[in-house]
Amino acid sequence: VCGLIFATTKESYDQHKREWAGFGFLSRCLIISYAYSDESIAEIFDFINKELYNLEKREKLTLKTYEVKANYELNKQFNAISDRQFRRLKQLQTLAKCNALINKRKEVNQEDINNVIKLTEFMNLEFKKI
């Protein structure tokens, strides 16, 4: 299981949407959007102006192979929120496996499913301003 986090602006999304949809990229994405509060924007500018990003610890990533077992009955809970999209269903299941892995478990349980379902509140599949 491997995932990719792809960040783009609303303008870039609008500009490239047709092209990305044409070769199937968008059907492989779970679009999640958010907006910054004015307070968060001020904190980010302050962080950059003070060059605090130079103090961030960097680590080399190493990829390992892990087997995480899915659970058929638990996976079926995603059917209702996958909107009959096969790839979306697989992506939701992959997120549940990742949640299990983060919590050092080799099998998906109800907690993993619940955490992914909570995340779907932020999924913005039509990329509308929230």
Side-chain angles (χ1 to χ4, degrees):
V1 174
C2 184
L4 170 70
I5 296 174
F6 172 71
T8 189
T9 64
K10 171 79 168 94
E11 292 77 18
S12 174
Y13 176 83
D14 289 340
Q15 179 182 356
H16 299 287
K17 180 179 180 179
R18 182 167 288 159
E19 177 186 0
W20 291 339
F23 65 85
F25 179 69
L26 292 182
S27 69
R28 291 167 171 82
C29 295
L30 293 173
I31 299 172
I32 298 173
S33 62
Y34 61 94
Y36 290 116
S37 68
D38 290 339
E39 181 181 305
S40 292
I41 291 170
E43 287 178 22
I44 292 167
F45 275 107
D46 193 50
F47 180 85
I48 294 169
N49 288 329
K50 290 179 180 176
E51 297 186 17
L52 295 175
Y53 51 84
N54 288 324
L55 302 175
E56 291 179 330
K57 183 179 176 184
R58 290 180 173 83
E59 294 183 33
K60 185 175 180 179
L61 295 177
T62 56
L63 297 177
K64 298 178 183 178
T65 302
Y66 297 96
E67 283 293 323
V68 179
K69 292 182 182 179
N71 180 299
Y72 174 75
E73 291 301 320
L74 293 177
N75 277 343
K76 290 195 304 187
Q77 293 177 52
F78 290 135
N79 289 350
I81 57 177
S82 69
D83 197 29
R84 298 183 52 85
Q85 304 260 340
F86 302 126
R87 287 185 177 145
R88 188 170 303 150
L89 180 61
K90 186 176 176 187
Q91 291 162 340
L92 294 170
Q93 292 170 352
T94 300
L95 286 174
K97 285 183 176 183
C98 291
N99 196 81
L101 189 58
I102 287 169
N103 289 294
K104 298 177 174 52
R105 283 184 271 100
K106 300 270 184 167
E107 190 165 345
V108 172
N109 65 22
Q110 187 63 51
E111 177 187 344
D112 303 314
I113 302 296
N114 292 345
N115 285 337
V116 173
I117 290 172
K118 285 180 200 171
L119 180 63
T120 63
E121 295 175 26
F122 299 98
M123 290 181 190
N124 188 356
L125 302 174
E126 299 302 318
F127 209 90
K128 296 177 184 171
K129 186 169 175 107
I130 55 172

